[in-house]
Amino acid sequence: MDQRSTFDWTQARAFLATVEAGSLSKAARALGLTQPTLSRQVAGLEAGLGVVLFERVGRALVLTDTGRDLLDHFRDMGAAAERIALAAAGQSQALEGRVTISASDAFAVYILAPLLAELREMAPGVEIEVRASNTISDLQRREADIAIRHLRPVEPELIGRQVGEWRARLYAAPSYLDDRGHPAVPGDLAGHDLLGFAPVERLVATLVAFGLPVTRRNFRHVTDNGLVLAEMLQRGLGVAVTPAEFARRMAGIEPVLPDWPGIPVPLWLIAHREVHTSRRIRVVFDFLAEALNRG
């Protein structure tokens, strides 16, 4: 009789998610499962293999030596499963189904959402899921089908098309400028309150490199959310650097130092090389490229 251990991919995926998340509860949320269901899948994997993969230390789960020895093999399985899913998606020629687009929160609101009605008219069978996040989606792990970024992709598995180059400039609310004065030259910014993204040190370095003499002390309000930044800007809390394409869609702000050339902001559409052969994804990709090019 064949005595080899048996298990299924669902159980292996549960094990990998638990290792990566560090707890059953976090892994269950990541997979959209209940914690008892995920726990049963991990227990089923251990029973099928005849080994113990985790030990409980207090409330924490700790990999056993066996679990560590097998982890790389399961990661290889996970990578293979992702490649199969990508290849299968790339073979789909139906102009229907879901396409997931990843973009920053501000881009999703100001630029992407207004385009969706036109896209629906063109491809009514395609469902669009917008993932609005300021973190970079991992296209190789199918966190999105298409990503809108400001950097050229460097991974060989990804393809990118530059669809424009924006300019980020300085803006403030009239109420702020009436109270604090209108900067006439870049040096005047040293006495003003600025708004920015966390970590603000990176933004400070960029602004200094483009001729604005600011320091960390200028940034009285900082956020990791583009819509929060827009609200603070419109409420007169300070001066912010933001793409002109966003500023045109905000009420109650005006340019500061209009002669300052601003910061170039490249705009890239990115997809996985295999996924780009899917008709529905290719149609959405090409539509976005044309729409963003026309401004």
Side-chain angles (χ1 to χ4, degrees), residues 257-285:
L257 296 178
D259 293 333
W260 179 58
I263 299 172
V265 183
L267 198 62
W268 285 85
L269 277 179
I270 302 168
H272 193 281
R273 190 173 299 278
E274 290 188 60
V275 167
H276 193 49
T277 63
S278 164
R279 185 181 177 211
R280 69 177 185 276
I281 297 174
R282 185 172 65 251
V283 165
V284 174
F285 188 98

Side-chain angles (χ1 to χ4, degrees), residues 93-104:
Q93 296 304 304
L95 196 53
E96 59 184 22
R98 178 166 299 183
V99 176
T100 303
I101 305 170
S102 169
S104 71

